[in-house]
Amino acid sequence: MKIQNLAVIFVIIILPISLTLSSYTKSQNQTLHLQTAYDSKLDNATYDALKAFQLNTTNSSTSDIANSKLRDIEASVNTFFNSIASNFNMVGYNQSVLKTYVPALVYTMYDGFYIYSPYNNDLSSLTNEEKDKLKDPKATFHDGDRITGLKPYIHYSCRYKKNDIDVVITYSLDNYITVQGYIGSGMNKEYVVKSGYLLDNIEVNGGIVEYRNILIEGETLKQRFKPDEEEYVYVKVNGIKYYKKNDGWYSNLNGEEIKTDMEYKEQNEAAKQYYKEAKEFSDWVSSNLGDLTGNDAYDENGDSLNSRFGSDKIFDFNGGNNKSIEDPNSDFNQHRLEVIRYTIEKNLSIAIANYNNYSSSTTTNFQMPKLKEDEWTKIINNVSIISFLQGLSIGGKVYNGYSIITNTKNDEVVSDESIYLINNTEYYKPTDSTLDKLTSYIGVLNKDFERRTFTDDTGITKYFFPKNQLGSYSSIVNQFEDSDLENVQYNNNLYSYIDDKVTKGYINIAKAYYTALGRERYSMYKTNTNTDRKVESGKRVYEDEGLKAAYNQQNIKK
């Protein structure tokens, strides 16, 4: 056969293959491009939602109250759908269509989380009189209605049973826990509800309080509460700041100045109280729950979770394994994070799987994607929003995306890294290598440097900064990645880092940091702050309905 004939045969065979491969490659590139574009759109919408939540809570004096928090989250949800509709409008999807492809939004808070997803309205628990009122055609809710909204708050809780202990422990994003259940047996059996922070290394001798050998003292705090005004002495109680004027104490409620009848000491003792109460609570936990291990954990069905949580002691006080209980790598913190992850993962998987029962406009099989380990680390350590978008066609496959955006400046949690240190002119991260050994610093919550809104007497909205200090260039404006700089070399353990600085003579840094951390955590608003609730007249007394639901969810009987 002639070479020309072979060439013709080669072209006849190869050309269709080449065209097919070229078309396939082009299709794959388009699919990859669409997936990247959709990921970006979903990230932008999720970021907008979290930013809306942050702005609302920053500029609201009632953002910690349950109803107000729900309002802020619902506003954030609306922002998400408005943003995602705007981002996807160019590709032909409007908001109502896109909602059918969003199986869930998750808002992780301080001691639990909300899931925004569809559910059936169940009014079976109402009285007949209440049901009759809802039979009115003008009633907002009806039994069996399909509603898309925030489901009840779910706490980061786990049940533990061992010998004469049967309790539910609710964890949080820091070392604050709530214990409720039965301890003891026979005549000594007691129902307890106690809450507090877990800490090692505290010494209390009368009015003298030391933490990690650092003396904790009272302090006087000042801040601006209106633009173009002087700084006023203030105290922070249950998340609200009260400032002193000549004729008394005031709070600023969403820009409106309100006088209170309460009197406060100008010398703020919150930090001392934080460490004193933490020691009392930690001693109680150590005495009553010190032997609990991961093997003693059970789910709501009464099945053991030992394969999930291991056999290490949960409350490893007194430097167990050369670690303090508050250290990020302590057994307590590792267990705490495992419980938070397990609770979110379990409930979110159920919510997304159940979405298949509600979605009639799409044939997508909605399911929980497998999140990466570094993504779980972000979720279980921060206030965050997790969004899911599934079922959109992107050419060669179906889009199945999610986005995780976290927020470190909020009223929900005071983390180890939420404290900045200030002098007269600048504010710094406590790990800034330029901090001076001899300078006296004051610790301030990072959120206090955020811009605030204020409406003046003429109705004009103005902006102002509560603090006069500017951000340090080396640790706030530009965070260097040079390995020689100390401000990035603390291995995610600020306690260890500051302890090391103390050995080098930086006592002022440790004093300012530990004082501010204690003060801000003690001053947070919490729904479960009463540490000595008791049973009265044979009835349980709960600190809030959310904790009551969490306790009942674990099937602990009277």
Side-chain angles (χ1 to χ4, degrees):
M1 184 178 292
K2 295 182 179 180
I3 294 178
Q4 293 88 338
N5 294 337
L6 288 174
V8 171
I9 293 172
F10 179 81
V11 170
I12 292 173
I13 296 173
I14 296 300
L15 184 60
I17 297 175
S18 298
L19 292 174
T20 302
L21 288 175
S22 176
S23 176
Y24 175 77
T25 302
K26 183 178 180 181
S27 174
Q28 290 298 101
N29 285 335
Q30 289 176 341
T31 298
L32 183 61
H33 174 74
L34 275 176
Q35 179 165 332
T36 303
Y38 282 19
D39 284 343
S40 178
K41 294 175 189 294
L42 183 59
D43 284 342
N44 291 338
T46 310
Y47 175 82
D48 289 343
L50 189 61
K51 193 64 179 177
F53 177 74
Q54 180 186 22
L55 289 173
N56 284 335
T57 54
T58 297
N59 291 289
S60 171
S61 302
T62 60
S63 61
D64 290 321
I65 300 173
N67 289 339
S68 180
K69 188 182 296 182
L70 286 173
R71 177 203 65 200
D72 293 336
I73 293 176
E74 287 169 352
S76 173
V77 170
N78 291 332
T79 299
F80 172 82
F81 283 111
N82 288 333
S83 179
I84 202 169
S86 175
N87 282 311
F88 278 90
N89 189 48
M90 296 299 292
V91 291
Y93 293 108
N94 59 35
Q95 182 169 327
S96 60
V97 171
L98 285 168
K99 274 191 173 182
T100 63
Y101 294 95
V102 179
L105 294 174
V106 181
Y107 285 75
T108 62
M109 300 285 108
Y110 178 64
D111 59 356
F113 58 99
Y114 290 100
I115 296 179
Y116 180 90
S117 65
Y119 58 91
N120 287 327
N121 200 27
D122 184 3
L123 305 179
S124 60
S125 62
L126 298 181
T127 65
N128 290 331
E129 183 181 354
E130 291 171 330
K131 289 180 180 178
D132 289 338
K133 291 180 181 179
L134 292 173
K135 289 180 180 178
D136 186 339
K138 296 180 181 179
T140 306
F141 299 107
H142 299 91
D143 194 21
D145 283 350
R146 178 184 177 275
I147 298 174
T148 300
L150 291 175
K151 293 184 175 181
Y153 194 64
I154 303 171
H155 284 81
Y156 306 130
S157 299
C158 187
R159 180 185 182 183
Y160 302 88
K161 294 192 299 181
K162 183 173 186 177
N163 300 329
D164 55 357
I165 297 173
D166 191 349
V167 297
V168 169
I169 298 177
T170 299
Y171 298 92
S172 66
L173 295 183
D174 56 26
N175 54 325
Y176 188 87
I177 68 169
T178 297
V179 180
Q180 53 184 340
Y182 288 99
I183 295 178
S185 59
M187 296 296 293
N188 295 321
K189 189 174 184 179
E190 178 187 10
Y191 179 77
V192 298
V193 178
K194 288 185 175 290
S195 302
Y197 288 92
L198 299 178
L199 292 174
D200 271 327
N201 310 298
I202 303 174
E203 294 292 333
V204 177
N205 185 7
I208 299 175
V209 178
E210 291 186 353
Y211 176 62
R212 292 179 178 258
N213 298 316
I214 299 297
L215 180 64
I216 305 299
E217 298 178 295
E219 54 185 345
T220 302
L221 304 171
K222 289 187 177 183
Q223 177 183 306
R224 287 191 297 173
F225 291 86
K226 289 184 180 180
D228 304 323
E229 277 197 359
E230 62 180 293
E231 290 187 327
Y232 292 107
V233 172
Y234 75 88
V235 296
K236 189 175 180 181
V237 181
N238 286 334
I240 298 177
K241 290 181 178 178
Y242 298 92
Y243 53 96
K244 178 70 177 297
K245 285 191 171 182
N246 293 331
D247 59 341
W249 291 85
Y250 289 80
S251 65
N252 194 299
L253 182 62
N254 300 331
E256 181 182 354
E257 191 172 74
I258 299 175
K259 187 176 181 180
T260 176
D261 294 332
M262 299 296 293
E263 289 291 332
Y264 300 99
K265 294 181 180 179
E266 294 187 23
Q267 186 79 351
N268 194 316
E269 300 285 334
K272 292 180 67 173
Q273 287 298 115
Y274 168 78
Y275 290 107
K276 287 176 67 176
E277 293 183 14
K279 179 170 177 54
E280 292 174 5
F281 180 69
S282 298
D283 289 344
W284 180 87
V285 170
S286 180
S287 299
N288 292 275
L289 306 174
D291 292 332
L292 286 182
T293 70
N295 283 331
D296 304 317
Y298 290 80
D299 65 14
E300 66 274 15
N301 299 316
D303 297 325
S304 175
L305 294 171
N306 59 348
S307 61
R308 176 87 190 198
F309 298 134
S311 59
D312 291 332
K313 273 192 174 184
I314 299 171
F315 302 109
D316 50 339
F317 287 100
N318 301 319
N321 298 323
N322 295 318
K323 305 169 192 171
S324 298
I325 197 167
E326 62 267 33
D327 287 356
N329 58 350
S330 69
D331 291 339
F332 163 74
N333 272 313
Q334 296 306 308
H335 180 80
R336 174 182 66 85
L337 297 177
E338 280 293 322
V339 170
I340 294 175
R341 174 173 175 171
Y342 171 74
T343 308
I344 296 174
E345 198 169 27
K346 178 184 67 175
N347 288 277
L348 183 55
S349 296
I350 294 172
I352 293 180
N354 285 344
Y355 189 71
N356 291 296
N357 301 325
Y358 299 101
S359 179
S360 58
S361 58
T362 174
T363 58
T364 302
N365 181 27
F366 295 94
Q367 55 186 322
M368 173 79 175
K370 184 175 178 60
L371 305 185
K372 301 179 179 125
E373 289 301 316
D374 62 321
E375 292 171 334
W376 275 115
T377 299
K378 289 168 59 178
I379 293 169
I380 61 184
N381 284 287
N382 301 281
V383 170
S384 59
I385 298 179
I386 316 168
S387 62
F388 298 88
L389 185 63
Q390 300 181 2
L392 296 175
S393 174
I394 51 174
K397 65 177 185 177
V398 173
Y399 180 74
N400 183 6
Y402 62 90
S403 176
I404 302 166
I405 304 295
T406 62
N407 180 7
T408 59
K409 295 180 181 180
N410 55 74
D411 283 318
E412 280 289 313
V413 59
V414 179
S415 69
D416 295 345
E417 298 180 23
S418 296
I419 303 300
Y420 290 162
L421 304 184
I422 65 172
N423 55 24
N424 291 330
T425 57
E426 293 183 301
Y427 63 91
Y428 310 79
K429 289 187 176 180
T431 52
D432 193 317
S433 60
T434 64
L435 292 174
D436 185 66
K437 185 181 297 185
L438 301 179
T439 301
S440 293
Y441 296 96
I442 299 174
V444 178
L445 185 65
N446 57 5
K447 179 177 169 289
D448 287 347
F449 297 97
E450 294 294 297
R451 187 176 69 168
R452 305 293 178 90
T453 59
F454 176 79
T455 303
D456 66 11
D457 296 335
T458 63
I460 298 176
T461 299
K462 296 181 178 180
Y463 299 94
F464 75 103
F465 291 92
K467 297 291 183 182
N468 295 318
Q469 289 82 0
L470 300 176
S472 163
Y473 186 81
S474 58
S475 67
I476 305 298
V477 179
N478 188 15
Q479 299 177 37
F480 294 105
E481 297 297 331
D482 189 338
S483 61
D484 292 332
L485 291 179
E486 290 184 13
N487 63 328
V488 293
Q489 296 296 308
Y490 61 94
N491 297 321
N492 296 319
N493 189 339
L494 264 170
Y495 296 102
S496 175
Y497 175 87
I498 291 179
D499 284 348
D500 181 62
K501 297 293 286 186
V502 169
T503 63
K504 298 175 182 177
Y506 290 82
I507 305 296
N508 289 339
I509 292 178
K511 188 178 185 67
Y513 176 78
Y514 291 140
T515 300
L517 186 67
R519 173 227 309 150
E520 294 298 334
R521 284 184 172 175
Y522 189 79
S523 303
M524 285 174 58
Y525 173 83
K526 296 187 182 69
T527 58
N528 50 339
T529 54
N530 190 335
T531 60
D532 288 309
R533 290 284 184 132
K534 296 181 180 179
V535 178
E536 297 178 2
S537 303
K539 297 180 180 179
R540 289 183 185 168
V541 180
Y542 294 91
E543 291 167 329
D544 69 16
E545 289 301 315
L547 287 176
K548 178 179 179 180
Y551 189 82
N552 289 339
Q553 186 181 15
Q554 302 297 331
N555 291 334
I556 296 182
K557 299 178 180 179
K558 244 182 183 180

